[in-house]
Amino acid sequence: MQPVIQHSWNISETEALRLQTELAAKVSLDDQLGEIALIAGVDVAYAKETDKIVAAVVILDAQTLEVVETSITEGKARFPYIPGLFSFRELPPLLSAFSQLQHTPDLIVCDGQGYAHPRRFGLACHLGIILDIPTIGCGKTRLLGQYQEPEKERGATAPLIDVGEVIGQVLRTQTDVKPIFVSSGHRISLATACEWILRLSPQYRLPETTRKADQLVNSLLKCTSASLSS
């Protein structure tokens, strides 16, 4: 699968900020989903010993949560480490991984932020716009916003608010376990995004999409570290 929108990745910080503002205007926070049969999880990790980035895409069956296909790529970080602009650093290897897939997902879950971003354009929004696929941001930690701790039961939520706007939901996926931070990426409402994240998290705090993608990138990084030390 190939991007619907193309833009240069060799840009300055100022140009990246301008592009975020431009593309953020294209984000849809409404449900524009068809049948969800395949769901992709994406994750990016960095090798400590080198400047290498490992990006993985894992496709799961939406009903069984079994792995249907995986794709993984390695690359070098080309954009500086600037908070709020991580998508310019991480999307190039992720898009390379997507280009190798035989299946096209109906929904993508990102290990990171979507609308819950200073310019309302986190990695999930950026990826969703480029591929024109419904996308959810699901972060382990909060980037910004204020919230009240949700109730302790699985499925409890609390709004994540920034400057008077609800930008996401704090969702408890397991009883008495730390919540996660869910936000719309593109072509999906916040309520529907939370429903899917809960369905994707039957046993653990993180959705299976994130867990499987994380396992894939970490396994490759461990192999890389082992080869460097041998």
Side-chain angles (χ1 to χ4, degrees), residues 78-228:
R78 304 294 184 185
F79 194 84
Y81 188 89
I82 302 173
L85 294 176
F86 287 165
S87 64
F88 292 91
R89 186 177 175 90
E90 299 183 350
L91 280 188
L94 272 175
L95 291 173
S96 178
F98 270 102
S99 71
Q100 300 173 23
L101 290 171
Q102 300 300 309
H103 297 80
T104 298
D106 305 299
L107 177 65
I108 301 171
V109 177
C110 296
D111 180 23
Q113 310 299 331
Y115 193 73
H117 179 274
R119 287 168 294 282
R120 309 301 188 252
F121 198 71
L123 185 144
C125 298
H126 202 160
L127 182 60
I129 285 290
I130 284 180
L131 295 179
D132 194 26
I133 292 176
T135 308
I136 299 171
C138 182
K140 302 181 187 75
T141 58
R142 177 191 60 167
L143 178 61
L144 81 164
Q146 305 299 318
Y147 67 95
Q148 298 291 325
E149 191 73 15
E151 298 296 325
K152 295 183 178 182
E153 293 74 24
R154 168 179 160 84
T157 62
L160 181 64
I161 301 172
D162 181 53
V163 198
E165 181 184 15
V166 176
I167 59 173
Q169 287 285 346
V170 186
L171 171 65
R172 203 177 299 278
T173 54
Q174 302 298 328
T175 299
D176 287 328
V177 172
K178 286 196 306 183
I180 56 177
F181 299 84
V182 180
S183 58
S184 301
H186 182 48
R187 291 179 51 187
I188 190 167
S189 67
L190 182 56
T192 303
C194 287
E195 289 174 6
W196 271 108
I197 294 300
L198 202 59
R199 288 173 62 177
L200 291 167
S201 310
Q203 291 182 285
Y204 302 99
R205 176 183 178 233
L206 299 178
E208 289 302 296
T209 42
T210 299
R211 292 184 68 250
K212 293 293 195 300
D214 182 69
Q215 289 167 5
L216 192 57
V217 292
N218 284 324
S219 65
L220 183 59
L221 285 178
K222 286 179 181 178
C223 291
T224 300
S225 297
S227 64
L228 288 173

